[in-house]
Amino acid sequence: MTQTEPYVELYVRSMLPDGAGSRQEAVIDRLEELERREEIAGYNVVVWGKQIAPESAAANTEEGRYILNRVAEFKQWALSNNVSLESFYQRTEVDSEAADSAHEAMVLPVMGLAEYDGDELAHVAPCADGEDVHTVTDRLETLEAGEPSTLEQRSASASFV
């Protein structure tokens, strides 16, 4: 079996806390370098907001459906790989002054990385494997080193048991 170069999607927040903009730029620079060295097949940057309410009008737009579908895909991947995304995609109650009510929203991470092998989702960062957190930076370091992720190593060793 030949290994193909992964395709990467980087999700970034549009409204950033202090210092996050330079971290996002550094990640994009690293993705450009990985693509230049042909260690990834390419990448795309997707801008998302701080949060999305699944029952809102925004969730019914093409962009809103795209984000909700991607997050659902990420969560399915997490279940299949016995890792957690819960602390990175938290649910919160948002008060609506206009409607004088509250609704549930999902807070999106400042940065998220989805790695695809063909059409198959191969890795999501950040994620948590028990107490171990695998960050976007960790995943970039693994790609730059040309090594399998610790999740891939764990799954390969489990298949030999």
Side-chain angles (χ1 to χ4, degrees):
M1 182 175 133
T2 61
Q3 173 129 4
T4 59
E5 290 85 23
Y7 179 80
V8 175
E9 290 182 349
L10 178 67
Y11 295 83
V12 296
R13 248 196 227 169
S14 54
M15 305 298 282
L16 300 170
D18 289 341
S22 61
R23 288 193 314 271
Q24 286 180 351
E25 289 174 21
V27 167
I28 292 169
D29 288 345
R30 289 174 80 178
L31 288 171
E32 286 175 3
E33 180 64 16
L34 284 166
E35 183 180 42
R36 188 189 66 71
R37 293 189 338 227
E38 297 181 353
E39 293 182 41
I40 61 173
Y43 71 95
N44 186 37
V45 178
V46 178
V47 178
W48 59 14
K50 179 179 179 179
Q51 61 192 18
I52 186 165
E55 304 301 319
S56 70
N60 289 318
T61 65
E62 183 178 340
E63 293 81 4
R65 285 188 302 274
Y66 178 83
I67 290 168
L68 291 172
N69 287 338
R70 279 301 202 234
V71 172
E73 180 184 23
F74 299 167
K75 289 183 176 186
Q76 183 60 47
W77 173 87
L79 282 172
S80 298
N81 288 278
N82 200 29
V83 296
S84 175
L85 302 177
E86 294 309 310
S87 61
F88 310 107
Y89 295 87
Q90 297 178 344
R91 298 273 181 186
T92 187
E93 287 290 317
V94 178
D95 291 323
S96 171
E97 293 176 15
D100 199 28
S101 65
H103 60 273
E104 189 173 271
M106 180 184 350
V107 178
L108 301 166
V110 170
M111 263 190 304
L113 187 134
E115 179 185 327
Y116 289 87
D117 182 8
D119 291 336
E120 185 176 334
L121 182 58
H123 194 84
V124 174
C127 67
D129 181 14
E131 296 294 316
D132 296 327
V133 173
H134 304 274
T135 66
V136 170
T137 301
D138 294 336
R139 188 60 188 160
L140 290 175
E141 288 170 0
T142 301
L143 288 169
E144 288 165 342
E147 300 171 356
S149 74
T150 55
L151 298 177
E152 291 164 336
Q153 291 170 2
R154 180 185 70 195
S155 136
S157 65
S159 65
F160 291 113
V161 175

